Amino acid sequence: MVISSTERYFIELEDLKPRYLDRPERWNDWYFGVNFTDNGTECSLVMALFEGTFMGQGANRMKLSKGPISLKQYDKYVKYLEKKPHEIDIVNVQKSNNFTIKEEQDKITITQDDLTVIAEPKEQKIISRNEKISGELIARPRGPVNWWGHTRNELCSVAEDCMVDGIESLSTITGNLTINGKEIEIDGVGLFEHVWIPKLRIMKIRIQDWIYANFDQLCTYLCHVESSNNNGCPDHFETGAIYLIEEDEYLHAKKITCHPENWVFLKEACRFIPLHQKIRITTDKGTLKLKTTLSTYPQFLGHPRRIEELTLHNITGWSFLFYDAPITIEGKFIRKNAPTIKLTNGKGLNEQQRVFPLY
């Protein structure tokens, strides 16, 4: 499906509000992710405000990673990632209800602890008052907003008992931050997300790749999930879109494949993770082919866990891995009946979840 400029999806004020606040189980987020350079060094920063009860309690997350990665030879066959200390790794879990929201005619203001989000349809701002990282970032859309499932307010069954809806807006991200006493001007590309979740059983999701990518010529978002239902049968979900900037065309993903390559050992998790991935997104107007490369040491979204007593589908003993992988990206968009578009300056992030038996 191709969306013309006259049918373009814009963010509306209603899209920025929280949902399900009257439910005992719920999840809302306002998420800002940005890739930028600092004195020639690749950096990945996430600043996000989470409200709800799933995955623990509401929290503020601020995580900054800097490249490059360092690979060490373990033996003749195995390489491992050398751990580098993160510049920022903050997760402030909210032990009490510090969440407040103010709705005005043209904007929504959300405050929780030391983070404030001021969200308007044309731009979204996050302000931090944390002693380690303070200042503000502003996200401005690079193109149409991406809806989960392609349609506004389409509640998606990502896996059994896992429902997600919301927006993903590929954006320019600018601002000024003071990080550990150093002032940094941010001028990068990234993503603003606001999603809401009424049902979540995270262990149902066995493999997830949630990816955003920005190039000079296009931007894209995708989510690709393999899961298992209550009967132990496999299930599949995918959603995504591509926006061609110069052509002003918005394309729905028809089919997505993710193929990991060049495995490296991650000591903290006692697991191998891919150094590269090949991504293929098929649309009505052509095929996007990408090769991603891990650009900084991963940021864990939860502690890697060996859940030795857990039994699922008559299998006892599981491992859980959930992390952000900042990436640089090469690629091309092979158009039908038109010249191929070679892509430049590819940057993004791959949020990966892996849940597997221990044996």
Side-chain angles (χ1 to χ4, degrees):
M1 182 176 181
V2 181
I3 305 298
S4 70
S5 58
T6 57
E7 301 170 302
R8 179 176 295 178
Y9 296 159
F10 290 104
I11 296 174
E12 297 179 0
L13 191 64
E14 194 67 27
D15 304 334
L16 300 168
K17 297 179 182 180
R19 308 284 176 97
Y20 310 122
L21 292 181
D22 58 340
R23 296 192 182 191
E25 291 190 318
R26 65 187 183 276
W27 181 262
N28 286 277
D29 80 355
W30 293 264
Y31 172 106
F32 295 72
V34 57
N35 304 96
F36 65 98
T37 57
D38 180 26
N39 292 325
T41 299
E42 290 291 337
C43 302
S44 176
L45 171 65
V46 169
M47 297 176 67
L49 186 157
F50 305 112
E51 186 281 333
T53 57
F54 293 127
M55 296 178 281
Q57 295 176 300
N60 293 346
R61 182 196 301 166
M62 291 164 276
K63 291 178 177 282
L64 172 63
S65 298
K66 289 188 175 184
I69 60 171
S70 177
L71 293 176
K72 299 293 185 180
Q73 200 73 38
Y74 179 76
D75 58 23
K76 183 179 179 181
Y77 304 102
V78 176
K79 290 183 179 180
Y80 69 91
L81 275 173
E82 183 180 37
K83 183 177 180 180
K84 296 175 63 175
H86 296 302
E87 297 292 315
I88 295 289
D89 189 359
I90 299 172
V91 179
N92 288 333
V93 175
Q94 303 300 299
K95 296 182 180 180
S96 59
N97 186 12
N98 295 322
F99 178 85
T100 63
I101 179 168
K102 180 182 179 182
E103 298 185 14
E104 300 178 62
Q105 185 175 358
D106 59 348
K107 64 184 177 182
I108 307 294
T109 302
I110 304 104
T111 298
Q112 184 169 263
D113 200 9
D114 51 13
L115 287 184
T116 295
V117 173
I118 303 173
E120 304 175 51
K122 292 187 177 180
E123 69 175 37
Q124 300 80 44
K125 180 186 297 185
I126 188 165
I127 302 167
S128 173
R129 296 170 296 279
N130 187 276
E131 61 180 9
K132 291 185 178 181
I133 177 169
S134 61
E136 69 177 39
L137 297 177
I138 299 175
R140 296 182 176 92
R142 298 188 74 202
V145 66
N146 302 282
W147 273 95
W148 280 68
H150 303 311
T151 304
R152 176 173 268 111
N153 296 325
E154 180 179 343
L155 192 58
C156 297
S157 180
V158 173
E160 192 172 58
D161 299 322
C162 300
M163 308 297 293
V164 180
D165 194 1
I167 61 172
E168 310 285 349
S169 177
L170 280 299
S171 303
T172 59
I173 310 284
T174 58
N176 291 277
L177 297 174
T178 300
I179 301 173
N180 292 327
K182 177 185 176 183
E183 293 185 8
I184 299 177
E185 182 177 353
I186 308 296
D187 185 4
V189 287
L191 173 134
F192 167 74
E193 172 191 83
H194 175 41
V195 300
W196 44 93
I197 304 174
K199 295 177 67 176
L200 178 65
R201 299 294 178 265
I202 198 166
M203 294 295 287
K204 294 285 184 72
I205 298 172
R206 301 301 161 79
I207 300 174
Q208 174 187 280
D209 288 278
W210 175 90
I211 296 172
Y212 72 78
N214 284 281
F215 298 87
D216 294 331
Q217 299 80 10
L218 64 77
C219 48
T220 183
Y221 151 78
L222 67 92
C223 186
H224 183 274
V225 177
E226 304 294 344
S227 61
S228 180
N229 64 24
N230 288 332
N231 296 322
C233 297
D235 201 359
H236 174 81
F237 169 82
E238 59 185 46
T239 188
I242 299 166
Y243 177 59
L244 302 176
I245 296 171
E246 184 174 342
E247 293 78 3
D248 191 25
E249 291 182 336
Y250 180 80
L251 312 175
H252 288 164
K254 308 295 285 188
K255 182 176 176 58
I256 301 169
T257 59
C258 301
H259 182 72
E261 294 185 326
N262 302 107
W263 298 83
V264 294
F265 192 63
L266 191 59
K267 286 185 176 181
E268 284 184 274
C270 295
R271 288 278 297 274
F272 284 90
I273 65 170
L275 178 62
H276 303 291
Q277 286 214 94
K278 286 186 176 180
I279 312 295
R280 183 185 180 101
I281 305 173
T282 304
T283 75
D284 289 337
K285 297 278 284 191
T287 300
L288 179 62
K289 292 185 177 181
L290 306 177
K291 181 180 180 180
T292 72
T293 300
L294 185 67
S295 60
T296 77
Y297 193 84
Q299 284 270 20
F300 292 110
L301 303 180
H303 293 297
R305 284 177 283 170
R306 291 167 52 91
I307 314 174
E308 298 182 3
E309 302 302 319
L310 177 66
T311 300
L312 297 173
H313 312 307
N314 297 316
I315 298 173
T316 300
W318 291 78
S319 67
F320 178 85
L321 185 60
F322 190 28
Y323 66 95
D324 276 346
I327 50 178
T328 55
I329 316 155
E330 302 171 7
K332 57 186 176 181
F333 184 68
I334 305 170
R335 293 189 289 180
K336 297 178 180 178
N337 305 317
T340 293
I341 302 174
K342 182 175 173 57
L343 306 177
T344 55
N345 293 324
K347 300 178 181 181
L349 185 135
N350 185 354
E351 181 184 285
Q352 297 186 10
Q353 180 176 321
R354 302 291 187 263
V355 178
F356 289 121
L358 289 174
Y359 64 91

